[in-house]
Amino acid sequence: MWGGRFSAQPSDIMRMINASVGFDQRLARQDIQGSKAHATMLAAQGIITQDDRDAILSGLDAILAEIEAGAFDFSDELEDIHLNVEARLKERIGDAGGRLHTGRSRNDQVATDFRLWVREQLDWMDTLIARLMRALLDQADAHADTIMPGFTHLQSAQPVTFGHHMLAYLEMFARDRGRFADCRARMNESPLGAAALAGTPYPIDRDATAAALGFDRPMANSLDAVSARDFALEAMAAATICATHLSRLSEEIVIWTSAQFRFVALSDAFTTGSSIMPQKRNPDAAELVRAKVGRITGSLTALTIVMKGLPLAYSKDMQEDKEPVFEAFDALDLSLQAMAGMVADMVPNERRLAEAAGAAFSTATDLADWLVMRLNMPFRDAHHVTGRIVAMAEREGVTLDALSLEQMQSVELGITEAVFDVLTPLASATSRTSYGGTSPERVREQVARWRATLS
């Protein structure tokens, strides 16, 4: 492609380090999409003829068909997807193929292709996250009044409902969905027409190519257009946060399915066995999703370090931008699909959840609140009285609601029979009626809100 300047072939090692077609061939469809928009604009501006345009469009369609059929011969000597397509186009249609590159550079071409690919991934992530949110919503709906222990420090804290727990993750993934949407809106500008770095003397119409490719507008600065990769960094930052949420939910599934917890069960569809221990059912899907955040975060870190010291405009370092992005979104795609499957598949053990919800004096805060509301006791005093009653129950080896009224009155004479109305896990959860609280009433309200939103 640059034989006019160079008289000798590059060394084998130069070809190896320089070639990117082994991975950037994933951009073939976006490359052809961008080239068709560019050719159409060139003809509309009178820069190439209508006949050349028609030949280019027909040739590009044929090349895409070859690629999709697996019949395209990719060449490392042609370095990347862009030169491979261009060379094949010239083979098919002759001189008209050489006119396609008028008014553009590989710099703006690859930036455009990459933006198109990332934008499609953001749209697909939106679809996958919505699917996961619906699975969480179904579980929340079915278990709005299923009692389970809520934890702080992984210690039993207060009873909550399983539906409330599911809705917490739904809210997290809703924010992830919002981050991807924000990223998409910010990146939806077209680099095409910026050429190598300074623009072009040809009378191109950048608004036309931007509109043809679904961008909101052309990028306003040609230097920025070819050198910016913050759209990819932002997309991977959002992916990393989403993967972190997936990892947290995966960790809970791993804990919940253990023999020690037995909070939920997963079917054969999302578990594996052991090669030596026939009794085992391992939550391998959850463990693998939990691990993917490392791969995704690593990809974000890799591209950040590639970009951190680059002067404007384009440097060959930026060839290293695609593999980490491809890897990150492949991992997130698989993780979101696996998690949606697991959430839909898991069956809560309601009896075991209820039993655990009542353990470790989880209604102690309810007792303290009762003392404040019924006896007008300062909360710190109520906290002290409750602590003494908990210590009594611990010595007796019973739950708070199993203590007698007389035993509690030996600590605080003002306690009445009415205290027992708040000492069961169900009563505790039902009483938490503040907005965003865990009561079944509030959970059902949130379920209805999200049903309307996701529909």
Side-chain angles (χ1 to χ4, degrees):
M1 289 294 172
W2 39 85
R5 172 67 178 85
F6 287 75
S7 58
Q9 293 293 322
S11 69
D12 290 342
I13 195 67
M14 179 61 194
R15 275 199 295 268
M16 289 175 63
I17 196 172
N18 197 44
S20 61
V21 71
F23 55 84
D24 69 15
Q25 61 185 260
R26 289 183 67 162
L27 299 174
R29 185 168 52 79
Q30 290 80 15
D31 191 67
I32 288 172
Q33 182 185 359
S35 291
K36 290 174 72 173
H38 185 66
T40 300
M41 179 275 297
L42 291 176
Q45 295 298 104
I47 299 170
I48 65 173
T49 67
Q50 300 293 325
D51 287 344
D52 283 348
R53 178 205 62 189
D54 292 345
I56 290 170
L57 297 183
S58 176
L60 290 171
D61 285 338
I63 291 169
L64 182 59
E66 288 178 353
I67 293 171
E68 290 179 341
F72 190 93
D73 185 18
F74 291 102
S75 169
D76 284 347
E77 291 187 0
L78 293 171
E79 292 189 12
D80 56 30
I81 184 60
H82 322 292
L83 293 186
N84 269 265
V85 169
E86 183 178 338
R88 179 61 176 143
L89 183 64
K90 291 178 70 175
E91 286 179 4
R92 293 190 67 96
I93 68 172
D95 288 345
R99 296 189 176 95
L100 171 60
H101 209 54
T102 307
R104 73 173 183 184
S105 161
R106 274 195 300 174
N107 293 355
D108 63 332
Q109 184 180 0
V110 66
T112 302
D113 295 354
F114 199 22
R115 279 183 186 257
L116 289 171
W117 190 91
V118 172
R119 188 178 69 184
E120 289 180 13
Q121 290 301 301
L122 296 176
D123 290 341
W124 179 233
M125 293 306 110
D126 182 81
T127 298
L128 294 182
I129 293 172
R131 187 182 301 170
L132 172 55
M133 290 171 66
R134 290 187 183 95
L136 289 163
L137 187 61
D138 288 341
Q139 288 283 9
D141 197 3
H143 297 283
D145 54 4
T146 297
I147 301 301
M148 68 173 290
F151 296 94
T152 61
H153 310 279
L154 202 55
Q155 305 294 314
S156 291
Q158 292 176 306
V160 297
T161 58
F162 191 81
H164 191 58
H165 202 108
M166 294 295 98
L167 288 176
Y169 280 106
L170 187 149
E171 294 284 347
M172 293 183 200
F173 291 117
R175 292 192 294 275
D176 290 326
R177 197 180 182 196
R179 272 183 281 271
F180 283 124
D182 289 345
C183 178
R184 189 195 194 283
R186 206 166 2 261
M187 69 163 287
N188 202 37
E189 297 180 335
S190 174
L192 191 57
L197 75 161
T200 176
Y202 295 97
I204 61 173
D205 184 349
R206 293 190 64 205
D207 289 299
T209 51
L213 295 171
F215 290 113
D216 294 329
R217 64 192 68 85
M219 294 183 73
N221 184 286
S222 60
L223 286 168
D224 180 47
V226 298
S227 59
R229 292 297 183 271
D230 55 335
F231 68 92
L233 289 168
E234 184 177 4
M236 286 202 292
T240 297
I241 297 170
C242 183
T244 301
H245 292 153
L246 288 168
S247 185
R248 295 184 70 180
L249 179 51
S250 295
E251 170 72 1
E252 297 212 291
I253 291 174
V254 170
I255 292 170
W256 290 351
T257 55
S258 68
Q260 289 72 27
F261 274 73
R262 293 178 291 113
F263 281 5
V264 302
L266 289 172
S267 76
D268 295 354
F270 291 97
T271 55
T272 65
S274 164
S275 64
I276 191 173
M277 295 169 283
Q279 83 280 9
K280 294 291 295 296
R281 179 187 292 278
N282 299 322
D284 283 3
E287 292 171 1
L288 289 166
V289 171
R290 183 176 59 184
K292 293 293 184 187
V293 67
R295 186 181 296 268
I296 295 168
T297 305
S299 295
L300 171 61
T301 302
L303 183 54
T304 301
I305 293 172
V306 166
M307 296 302 300
K308 76 171 182 64
L310 296 186
L312 296 180
Y314 181 82
S315 298
K316 194 68 172 182
D317 310 51
M318 291 161 69
Q319 182 169 290
E320 295 293 315
D321 60 359
K322 293 164 200 69
E323 285 183 288
V325 176
F326 292 160
E327 185 172 20
F329 278 99
D330 286 348
L332 187 60
D333 182 335
L334 185 58
S335 296
L336 284 166
Q337 295 199 58
M339 183 55 72
M342 281 187 285
V343 169
D345 182 74
M346 68 183 180
V347 178
N349 182 343
E350 296 184 27
R351 183 192 62 78
R352 173 64 187 138
L353 287 168
E355 177 185 89
F361 315 110
S362 63
T363 58
T365 305
D366 299 274
L367 173 56
D369 289 337
W370 186 92
L371 293 170
V372 170
M373 291 187 289
R374 291 299 185 93
L375 304 185
N376 199 29
M377 188 180 292
F379 183 81
R380 282 303 166 199
D381 293 346
H383 188 286
H384 181 72
V385 168
T386 300
R388 292 175 60 195
I389 293 174
V390 166
M392 178 190 297
E394 190 171 38
R395 288 193 301 271
E396 297 289 330
V398 298
T399 58
L400 290 177
D401 60 330
L403 289 172
S404 68
L405 178 60
E406 290 74 18
Q407 286 175 304
M408 284 190 275
Q409 286 176 335
S410 70
V411 177
E412 170 51 56
L413 189 60
I415 294 176
T416 69
E417 193 75 32
V419 74
F420 291 100
D421 292 339
V422 303
L423 292 185
T424 66
L426 178 59
S428 173
T430 301
S431 72
R432 307 291 168 177
T433 56
S434 58
Y435 180 78
T438 191
S439 74
E441 176 187 6
R442 291 291 175 256
V443 170
R444 291 190 177 95
E445 287 175 358
Q446 292 298 320
V447 166
R449 177 175 72 88
W450 277 111
R451 285 279 182 222
T453 300
L454 291 174
S455 65

